[in-house]
Amino acid sequence: MGTLPSAGLRSGIIGTGFMGSVHAHAVRASGGLVSAVAGSSPASAERAAAALGAASAATSAEELIARDDVDVVHICTPNATHAELARTAIDAGKAIVCEKPLATSAHDAAELAEQAERAGVVAAVPFVYRFYPAVREARGLVARGDAGRPWLLHGSYLQDWLASPEATNWRVDPRAGGTSRAFADIGVHWCDLMEFVTGQRIVRLVASTSRAFEERPTPAGPAAVATEDGATVLFETDHGAAGSVVVSQVSPGRKNRLWFSFDGTEASLSFDQEQPDTLWVGRTGAATRVAVGPDTLTTDGGRRYARLPAGHPLGYQDSFTAFVADVYAAVRGDAPDGLPTFRDGLRAAQLTEALVASARGGSWADVPAGHVPSQPSPLSPSI
Ligand code: SOE
């Protein structure tokens, strides 16, 4: 990356689907410029550039990465293309935001994390649920010891956008999406939040994967589905806690219900992504719904991201904007606390491989230790 512009940073977005537009809005709200968009063809790039108000359309992803007016490359394409595009962007010295999964194998994800570190470029993966103020507050409460010892970590991440046998998407096809679908797409968000909030790491898991529908449409007609609609996972952490998570893309009426309860010996902390303006704090004497706001939250992390007075809910797009703003801060030389990097993308890939191995073998699978969490847990590792 050459000299940074004195005005806003300039982002180039590869991919013209739902996530491409979320990234574009976040770029603009963070004071950046969407200088170029690339799609699967020059015509789709032209259409997306007009729809997103981008300065120009690139003829290809490679052309976008090479452009002088792109400081940050956003990769929002089907999963199987992430690794190659990320490699090219690192080689070009660009900062990168790569959608999850960073790669469809832990091996490729590890190579990318190392390559980005060697090149010294900012390389982030949008684990954006970290940027909800209620989530930061929960993390701060755990670090302060207010929850006691988190010993039971449970929850679910449920969606319904594939709750019809006629529904399909490139994610259904393992050649485009990877071996795991529901877990790799949304289960990893839940696991990232759990590890981020508690500072604990999953060391082993046992999983079962299942399908609501054995066939879905493809351009060549109905075909057998190879990826999972849902997964149930039991796990243990390096601090001796136990947990479980249920993940599904076929739960009618559940739109994007990422829910957790992290139960400590002093308090349970619970968050629902569809009701993000409160954090539930349960104690044996009383349970409180803490309103999200700079005056109501009590930890530095919670206050930092609670940008509006309580009662003015911040949502998914706001979290995405907070994430991109922190990426930009990192590009300018800051080190924002809790920025999810390619190391966190690698972590998700390792969890996914353990899940697939466990589901296939019908037995517990170890998860590699991975890198040291950005915030050590206040608790002793053995109980
Ligand atoms: C689709 O399942 C999706 O857009 C995921 O890919 C995102 O990561 C999640 O945040 C919302 O749902």
Side-chain angles (χ1 to χ4, degrees):
M1 194 158 49
T3 315
L4 294 176
S6 52
L9 287 165
R10 298 157 307 178
S11 276
I13 297 178
I14 309 175
T16 58
F18 159 56
M19 288 318 299
S21 90
V22 171
H23 283 242
H25 285 106
V27 164
R28 239 182 256 111
S30 305
L33 173 78
V34 183
S35 48
V37 179
S40 52
S41 66
S44 74
E46 292 285 353
R47 280 194 300 275
L52 301 177
S56 61
T59 52
S60 68
E62 292 71 24
E63 195 244 314
L64 180 144
I65 291 169
R67 285 171 70 133
D68 288 340
D69 63 353
V70 169
D71 307 306
V72 185
V73 173
H74 296 242
I75 302 171
C76 313
T77 51
N79 303 344
T81 63
H82 291 177
E84 193 51 43
L85 291 171
R87 236 172 252 132
T88 309
I90 299 170
D91 284 343
K94 300 294 170 85
I96 302 139
V97 176
C98 182
E99 267 303 331
K100 34 139 275 292
L102 174 57
T104 51
S105 75
H107 174 265
D108 282 358
E111 275 191 358
L112 286 167
E114 279 157 27
Q115 192 192 343
E117 281 161 8
R118 270 199 311 276
V121 297
V122 172
V125 176
F127 285 112
V128 291
Y129 299 105
R130 291 183 181 196
F131 291 83
Y132 277 103
V135 166
R136 294 285 173 149
E137 181 77 357
R139 181 175 184 244
L141 294 178
V142 171
R144 211 159 67 188
D146 288 22
R149 172 168 52 82
W151 71 281
L152 191 66
L153 314 169
H154 55 110
S156 53
Y157 193 162
L158 310 175
Q159 296 181 333
D160 74 355
W161 63 284
L162 285 170
S164 152
E166 295 311 314
T168 195
N169 181 270
W170 57 260
R171 287 183 170 87
V172 172
D173 180 352
R175 288 168 304 182
T179 314
S180 164
R181 175 174 23 105
F183 184 81
D185 190 33
I186 56 176
V188 295
H189 272 302
W190 192 95
C191 294
D192 179 74
L193 271 197
M194 190 284 288
E195 295 193 339
F196 182 66
V197 168
T198 66
Q200 302 194 23
R201 295 249 135 183
I202 296 174
V203 286
R204 57 187 213 124
L205 59 79
V206 61
S208 159
T209 53
S210 46
R211 269 186 290 279
F213 305 112
E214 290 302 331
E215 275 193 351
R216 290 187 184 271
T218 70
V225 176
T227 49
E228 81 279 2
D229 287 326
T232 52
V233 187
L234 277 180
F235 61 82
E236 293 171 0
T237 74
D238 57 351
H239 287 66
S244 71
V245 59
V246 176
V247 175
S248 157
Q249 293 172 324
V250 184
S251 289
R254 303 297 192 187
K255 295 300 172 193
N256 199 39
R257 193 180 187 263
L258 192 175
W259 180 88
F260 66 67
S261 185
F262 299 148
D263 304 346
T265 47
E266 300 293 326
S268 305
L269 306 173
S270 180
F271 170 75
D272 177 355
Q273 195 278 154
E274 292 182 343
Q275 312 284 330
D277 53 337
T278 58
L279 174 70
W280 187 89
V281 181
R283 298 181 187 280
T284 38
T288 319
R289 271 188 196 286
V290 181
V292 165
D295 299 330
T296 47
L297 301 185
T298 63
T299 66
D300 289 347
R303 288 200 185 115
R304 173 168 148 69
Y305 292 92
R307 291 172 199 276
L308 297 176
H312 301 80
L314 296 165
Y316 179 77
Q317 183 70 57
D318 299 297
S319 301
F320 223 100
T321 298
F323 160 71
V324 170
D326 276 4
V327 170
Y328 282 6
V331 172
R332 294 197 180 283
D334 288 353
D337 178 38
L339 183 71
T341 67
F342 276 18
R343 286 272 152 205
D344 300 292
L346 166 60
R347 176 75 187 151
Q350 289 169 330
L351 284 162
T352 304
E353 285 194 352
L355 172 116
V356 170
S358 168
R360 278 191 184 149
S363 55
W364 285 84
D366 290 335
V367 183
H371 70 299
V372 178
S374 49
Q375 172 194 264
S377 169
L379 307 162
S380 105
S382 54
I383 53 172

